[in-house]
Amino acid sequence: MKRYLVIGLLFFILGFSTNSWAHEIRPAYLQIKQISENSYQVLWKVPRKGDMVISLQPIFSENFTLTEASERTMSADALVFHFNLEGSSRLPGSQLTINNLEKTMVDVLVNIEYLNGEKITLMLKPDQPQILLPGKTSKWGVAKTYSILGIEHILFGFDHLLFVLALLIISVGFKKLLKTVTAFTLAHSITLSFSVLGIANLPGPPVEAVIALSIVFLAMEIIKLEKGTPTLTSKKPWLVAFSFGLLHGFGFAGALSEIGLPQTEIPLALAFFNIGVELGQIIFVIVASGAMSLLAMKKDWSLHVKQIPAYAIGSIATFWTIERIVGFWF
C-alpha cells in the first residue's frame, strides 16, 4: 500500500509543480534571414507562460551590431523580438552565443537563410550555449535536430505522457496494448502532418483543454474497470486512443509551429520530428510497462489502493483542464 501512496503523491507533486509548463518546455527560436551582403533580419522567440519569460539573448561576434527593429510582441507561448543585424564581415564562421542558456533547461533552434540559397538548421543546448556558424546544413543535420526536438517534446509533454500512461493501465494484455499504442501513433501522425502542411487545423487553447479532458475521461474509465464494470474503452482501448490521438496530433502541431520549420526542408523536418516523438513514446512505454509489471507481481492490493493511480491521474488532468479553460479569458 505504501508503494501506491508514494505513486499517488508523486503524481500530485508532478502535476502541481509543473502546471506553469504543463505541456512541455518549448525551445527558443532564432531565425536569421540575409537581406543584403552585410545585413540580416532577425526573429527571436523566447518561451513564456503568462508573465513569466525566460531570460535569454542572442549574442553575435563583436563585428556585428544587433538593434531592435520594432516593438516586441506576445504570442500564445512566446515573447517575440524583431532585430536588424549589421556586420563588417561574413556571418558564416562567426560565433553565436545564447546568453544565460547554461542556466536553463531550454534548447534554442536556429534557422539561417543566406542570399545564395544556403540554409542552416542547428540547435544549441544548455551544455553548448555557443557555436561557430557554418555556411550550410546537411539533410542529416535537419534530421538529427528535429528528431531530438521530437523526443524532447514527448518526454517533457507531461499531458501526453499521462494520457499514454492511462492507456497502458487500461490496455490489459500485450496484443491489446500494441493495437492501442499503434492507433494513438497513427492518429496523431495524421493530424500533425495535416496541420503542418496546412490541410487542417484547430485553435490551440481549446485543443489543449480537451487534451487534458481526455485524460480525465480515461481516469474515470480506469476506475470503472477496477470496480469490475467493463466499458467500451476497456474492451476496445485502441478506438479511444485513435479518436483522442487525432486531437493530440493538433497539440503536437501547435508546438511544432512555435518551434518553426526550415522552409526548404519541411517534409524532412516533419518526418523526423514525428519519428522523434515515436522514439520518445517507445522509451516511456517500455519504462512504464516495466514499472507496472513489477507492481503487478503483488496481486493482493485492495480495490481502494488499486484506484489511487487513476484518482491521481484524474486529479492532475482536472487541474490542467480548469487551468486551460480559465486561460481562455486571461
Side-chain angles (χ1 to χ4, degrees), residues 6 13 64-65 74 92 96 111 116 122 157 165 205 258 287 302 318:
V6 171
I13 293 173
F64 286 88
T65 302
M74 293 280 193
L96 170 66
N111 278 325
N116 62 4
L122 51 88
L165 179 60
E258 286 290 331
V287 173
S302 69
T318 299

Side-chain angles (χ1 to χ4, degrees), residues 99-140:
N99 193 36
N100 292 328
L101 184 60
E102 70 280 1
K103 301 175 183 177
T104 72
M105 296 177 61
V106 175
D107 297 334
V108 177
L109 177 66
V110 181
N111 278 325
I112 304 178
E113 180 181 347
Y114 294 109
L115 282 176
N116 62 4
E118 292 180 344
K119 309 284 184 178
I120 289 179
T121 299
L122 51 88
M123 189 162 57
L124 299 180
K125 292 178 168 291
D127 60 352
Q128 185 192 5
Q130 61 186 33
I131 193 171
L132 291 178
L133 296 175
K136 187 176 182 180
T137 301
S138 65
K139 291 183 181 297
W140 164 247

Side-chain angles (χ1 to χ4, degrees), residues 17-35:
S17 64
T18 60
N19 67 82
S20 295
W21 300 93
H23 192 57
E24 79 286 324
I25 302 176
R26 298 187 178 184
Y29 177 62
L30 179 64
Q31 176 183 287
I32 304 171
K33 183 175 183 179
Q34 187 176 20
I35 57 175

